Amino acid sequence: MGPMASSRRDLAVRATVDQGLLSAAEPVVALLDTVGVLASATALTSAFAAVTDAPVLHAFAVKACPLVPVLRLLHEAGLGVEVASPGELALARAAGIPPSHTVLDSPAKTPAELRQALALGIAVNADNLQELARLDALVASAPTASPLGLRVNPQVGAGSIGALSTATATSKFGVALRDEGARKAVVQAYLERPWLTRLHTHTGSQGIPLSLMAEGVGEAYALAEEINREAGRQQIDTLDIGGGLPVNFTSDEETPTYAEYAGLLASTVPGLLDGRYRLVTEFGRSLLAKHGTVLARVEYTKTSGGRPIAVTHAGVQLATRTVYAPESWPLRVLAYDAEGRPRTGDPTVQDVAGPACFAGDLLATGRELPLLRPGDVVAVPDTGAYGFAHHYAYNSLPRPAVHGFTVDGDGAVTFTAVRRAQTLDEIVAEAGGARADALVGPRSGAFR
C-alpha cells in the first residue's frame, strides 16, 4: 500500500516546489491524484457489482472534468462517458471512448446533434416530447444502432442547493411526471415507439440526500414497470439512473460512499437490481472532486480592518462557485510554507483572497490558519471536479497547467502533464487578436 491521500497530497505539494512546477513565474497550478481517481472508479464499479448481476455502464459525466486524459484514464478503468454538448462529445471521441460507451443528454439538442449521435450509434436520452418528435423523423429516415430513451422528472423535491436540484416541480429537465396528463402521455409515447427502450432520470447533484436520490430512481423504476405492462413485453430494457452522489467538502473523508448508495437502492428498489434491467449511471463530481488540488503562491499579505488578508493567485477563475456562492460551496484551504512544507504556527483568523479585481474574490473569509506570509503556498483540495477544468476568464487570467501525479513507496513523486498552462498569445488569439481592425472600417473617421 502506498501513502494515504492526504500524505500523497503533502508530498505532491513539496514536489511541485522542488521540481519548479510552482514558482514565481508560474504561481498557480492544479494537481490530479491518479491513484485516487482510479480508487474512486473501482469503488463505483465494485459497489454496483455487489448488488446486481445486470450489466452496468458507468458513464462519467464529462461536464465534471472535461479533460481528455482524464476521460481516457477512466475509460481504461472500465467507465464510459455521459456528454451534454458537441464539445463534450468531441472530447470523448478524442479520448477514444467508443459510441457504445457514450450517452448523450442535454435539454437543448439540435437536429444536427441528434443526427450525428444516431449516425455514430451513441445512446440518446430525449429530454421532452418535442424532441421525441424530432427523433421520429430521424429514426424513420435512416437505420441507427443508438439505444434511445426519454428523461422524466419524478418531481420528488429539492435538496439544499436549489440550482442543482433537478427533480423539483418546475425543473427544466425531463418530462414532469406529476403534471396533469403527463404520465399518460409518456406511457403512450412509448407504446407508439417500439424503438424507445430506455428510461432516464436524474434527481440532482450536490446537496441531494441519498434518500431523495433513491426515491427518484424508485419513481422511474415504477414507471418502467408500468410501461412494460402496458406494452405486454419488456420494451424498456435499460434504466439510466443518473448520478448525483454528494461530496464531503469539509474533510478528507470520502462520504457518502457508492456502497452506501447501492445498498440503499437494493433495499428500496430491489426490482431495479434483479437482472431484468441493464443500468446506466452518470456520476461525475464524486469520481473526481476529492482527487484534485489547486496550488497557489501567496503574493502579498496585508491587514484591513484588523484582519489579515493573504492575496493569492487562485480565486474566481478556478473556484467560481465558491466565490459567488460561498455558503453553498465552501472549500478548505491548507497552508504550506514557501518550500511546500505544511505551515506551522498558531491559528490566526484571516481571509484568503484571489487575484481578480473585485472585492468578492475570496477563497475563504475569516478562516483560522497559521498566519500566511508572502511566498507561502495555499492548497485548495477537493477541486478535481467543476474546478480548475472550468476556467472563468475574469481579468483574462490564464488557465493553469494541470499535472497528474503518482507517489511511489519511497515517497518519490512523478508528475505527468495533463494540460499545459495557457499562454498570453493564446489569450490574445481567443480575444480576436488576429482581427484587431475588424471594427475599424472606412467610416471610422467619423468617430475620431
Side-chain angles (χ1 to χ4, degrees):
M1 290 288 291
M4 299 295 290
S6 59
S7 298
R8 293 197 301 269
R9 181 178 59 228
D10 285 347
L11 291 166
V13 173
R14 181 69 182 271
T16 59
V17 175
D18 289 345
Q19 299 183 32
L21 300 181
L22 183 70
S23 65
E26 194 162 338
V28 57
V29 299
L31 304 181
L32 268 175
D33 181 353
T34 304
V35 170
V37 174
L38 292 175
S40 284
T42 298
L44 171 59
T45 55
S46 299
F48 277 80
V51 296
T52 183
D53 293 327
V56 184
L57 171 64
H58 295 292
F60 172 68
V62 172
K63 65 182 72 68
C65 191
L67 295 172
V68 171
V70 170
L71 306 184
R72 184 58 172 265
L73 176 67
L74 292 173
H75 173 56
E76 293 296 320
L79 275 60
V81 292
E82 180 265 340
V83 300
S85 71
E88 289 185 355
L89 177 55
L91 296 178
R93 297 185 72 186
I97 314 298
S100 60
H101 287 74
T102 304
V103 179
L104 173 62
D105 297 322
S106 164
K109 306 182 199 72
T110 66
E113 288 176 61
L114 292 171
R115 193 174 299 111
Q116 179 190 29
L118 268 59
L120 292 172
I122 290 169
V124 176
N125 289 316
D127 179 78
N128 53 70
L129 299 179
Q130 291 178 4
E131 188 176 337
L132 278 186
R134 286 185 176 179
L135 286 173
D136 285 337
L138 292 173
V139 169
S141 66
T144 179
S146 293
L148 302 174
L150 176 67
R151 178 170 182 167
V152 295
N153 171 13
Q155 294 173 294
V156 293
S160 62
I161 304 176
L164 298 188
S165 300
T166 57
T168 60
T170 57
S171 170
K172 75 175 188 179
F173 292 103
V175 179
L177 286 181
R178 297 182 185 179
D179 283 14
E180 184 176 356
R183 190 183 189 96
K184 182 178 180 181
V186 168
V187 173
Q188 188 61 35
Y190 274 83
L191 297 180
E192 293 173 355
R193 297 170 175 84
W195 43 264
L196 206 55
T197 60
R198 292 188 169 192
L199 188 64
H200 176 220
T201 194
H202 175 69
T203 299
S205 189
Q206 190 70 15
I208 303 294
L210 298 190
S211 58
L212 195 64
M213 292 170 60
E215 184 180 350
V217 172
E219 291 289 333
Y221 167 75
L223 177 60
E225 293 283 274
E226 178 182 345
I227 291 170
N228 286 341
R229 284 194 303 271
E230 291 292 324
R233 63 187 181 91
Q234 189 171 353
Q235 177 174 337
I236 296 177
D237 59 23
T238 302
L239 281 167
D240 184 333
I241 64 173
L245 191 77
V247 169
N248 165 31
F249 287 100
T250 63
S251 74
D252 284 325
E253 184 180 5
E254 295 189 40
T255 181
T257 66
Y258 294 118
E260 289 170 344
Y261 181 46
L264 181 61
L265 291 176
S267 63
T268 58
V269 200
L272 174 75
L273 304 171
D274 66 10
R276 290 177 296 130
Y277 292 97
R278 298 184 184 92
L279 298 178
V280 177
T281 71
E282 298 176 355
F283 295 101
R285 176 179 290 106
S286 54
L287 281 160
L288 262 294
K290 303 297 288 184
H291 312 304
T293 303
V294 168
L295 304 183
R297 282 170 52 93
V298 176
E299 194 67 41
Y300 299 109
T301 58
K302 62 178 74 174
T303 300
S304 183
R307 177 181 291 174
I309 303 171
V311 180
T312 80
H313 288 273
V316 71
Q317 84 277 33
L318 303 174
T320 312
R321 284 173 166 171
T322 296
V323 169
Y324 286 122
E327 296 82 9
S328 296
W329 298 100
L331 285 171
R332 292 181 291 150
V333 177
L334 308 176
Y336 296 81
D337 66 18
E339 295 181 356
R341 299 171 301 194
R343 161 70 62 200
T344 58
D346 294 334
T348 302
V349 176
Q350 57 197 298
D351 292 351
V352 182
C357 289
F358 74 102
D361 186 25
L362 297 166
L363 287 173
T365 304
R367 192 71 58 88
E368 285 195 348
L369 294 165
L371 188 61
L372 291 162
R373 305 169 187 172
D376 279 358
V377 177
V378 295
V380 189
D382 307 332
T383 47
Y386 300 101
F388 49 72
H390 295 73
H391 191 74
Y392 177 40
Y394 202 103
N395 285 146
S396 295
L397 294 165
R399 289 188 293 268
V402 179
H403 303 278
F405 72 88
T406 57
V407 182
D408 68 18
D410 296 325
V413 180
T414 300
F415 293 104
T416 302
V418 172
R419 181 187 70 193
R420 62 175 175 77
Q422 186 181 28
T423 66
L424 296 183
D425 285 345
E426 288 169 337
I427 291 175
V428 171
E430 289 185 7
R435 298 174 176 84
D437 293 332
L439 302 179
V440 182
R443 302 176 61 180
S444 62
F447 301 100
R448 290 178 178 171

